[in-house]
Amino acid sequence: MSASRRSGTTDELGPDEPEEPGGSDLLAALLDGMDAALCAFDADGVVTHWNREAERILGWTAAEAVGRHGFAGWAVRSADAEEVQARLMSAMHAPGRQVHEFALVTKGGGRVLVRTQSAAVRGPEGKPAGLYCAFSEVHAQIDLERSIALSEALFEDAAWGVVLVDADLRPAVVNAYAARSLGVGRASALGRPLGELLAQGAEELEAALTHVLAEGAPPAPAEMWVAVRTTQGEARRCWRSGFLRLASPLAEEPVPLGVGWLFLDVTEARQGQQEASLLRFRTNQLHRAARAAAECEDPVEAATVHLDFALAGFADHALIDGVAGGPHVETGGASDAVRLVRLAATPAGAPGPSLLTGAAGLPARYEEGHPALQCVQRAGSVRADAGSVPAERAREWALERQWPGDAVHALCAVLRSRGRTLGVVTFLRGAGRSRFERSDMAYAEDVALRIAVALDLGEAVRGRPGEQPW
């Protein structure tokens, strides 16, 4: 039985024109293929169309429904029939669509609460020729509305980033949080490769998205470090990310539409954890160094022990320079030029313990303005960097300062004990490490204090004040 009632050469809701061959069958196929239940009434309220979804919800077939006058006596209770009919037919004379909720009766005698959308169907002269009524079960409609509301809330008001990425790994929808995190406008991010939005980390993110498209969502969130471009330069951020593969519900087989990427910026928490972990490690190193140094008979050896323990995870090279001619005491006026003697240094080649090198007492060939000399003159820490220069120029920069050729970052901490400057300890990092920060300065100064105490003890052990212990 067709979902529509045939009437010779014209459709009851259509214009007064001859039907094309198969036109009624095409209309029936279209109606039966709809996801929503649909019925139609002529101007007298007689049912003219009834599709398969309407049959699925209420149980009444098209043969049983088409030709009936309204819903009275079969699809609604008698007590509700007049009200339902009046509300339905009012749509023929109202502009736009009318939305109502009715309790309809199934063929089996049950009741189903449905939400209807009704609108008038106009004839050739623009006069109402009937109306159509699309309806669905209220709970299904509410589920749909909730899904739509959830999507809109995620893309507008969510307190985490939401990005809809298409199958080509390009953003298709970006919410406000994600746009702020990327440092771009919501519209300007659409359709752009991720490599244009991120200074670093785009390859790792694209690999994760590709995996989700092929294999599905991972079982747990992943934390990714990226770098975003800001007006102050690049900023490293840690994003805790979750991924969902999006597939079309209309296809017979799941067809990937893209990936839903949700992320939350956890940079501050992760940096706090890293700083706490680093502090625990450095505190343990200082404790271990103190225990090992306490077993050394020679105070100078104890100083190198502190240097070796401090080097782990902190720098690539380290060296100790002592003030030539005895400790330097600030007089408040103009002071003579300070000369430094290399006391100990880590091996320049293979890793190993620091080596004592100052037996000859020859001054280091430091030029005026050298960071170690500045450190002594200021009695405070000094940082130096080769800067963004080619590798060969960076090597020249290090060798000019009498440092290993691979050094590009330097931190000099003064060795002071009993109000006197004994020398300088210098920590050096290669190109694979970051520059020294303020937290590194505090650690270097703590190590320098312990080395200075050991050197001062060495002077006292020899019994002649001012005599260098090396």
Side-chain angles (χ1 to χ4, degrees), residues 122-128:
R122 306 289 173 181
E125 300 178 357
K127 296 181 179 180

Side-chain angles (χ1 to χ4, degrees), residues 354-440:
S354 300
L355 304 175
L356 296 175
T357 60
L362 298 177
R365 294 181 294 106
Y366 289 158
E367 298 180 356
E368 185 178 356
H370 191 282
L373 296 177
Q374 294 182 37
C375 181
V376 173
Q377 292 163 359
R378 299 178 185 177
S381 300
V382 175
R383 288 181 291 177
D385 291 277
S388 300
V389 296
E392 187 58 35
R393 181 67 191 93
R395 179 178 175 80
E396 294 175 2
W397 175 87
L399 295 178
E400 288 171 0
R401 288 156 179 78
Q402 311 303 311
W403 293 334
D406 59 344
V408 295
H409 308 294
L411 172 58
C412 299
V414 66
L415 302 176
R416 287 184 60 80
S417 177
R418 294 189 292 165
R420 304 172 305 158
T421 298
L422 305 182
V424 179
V425 59
T426 301
F427 295 99
L428 302 168
R429 288 178 177 175
R433 292 178 179 264
S434 61
R435 65 190 300 271
F436 289 100
E437 304 294 342
R438 290 191 177 273
S439 59
D440 299 323

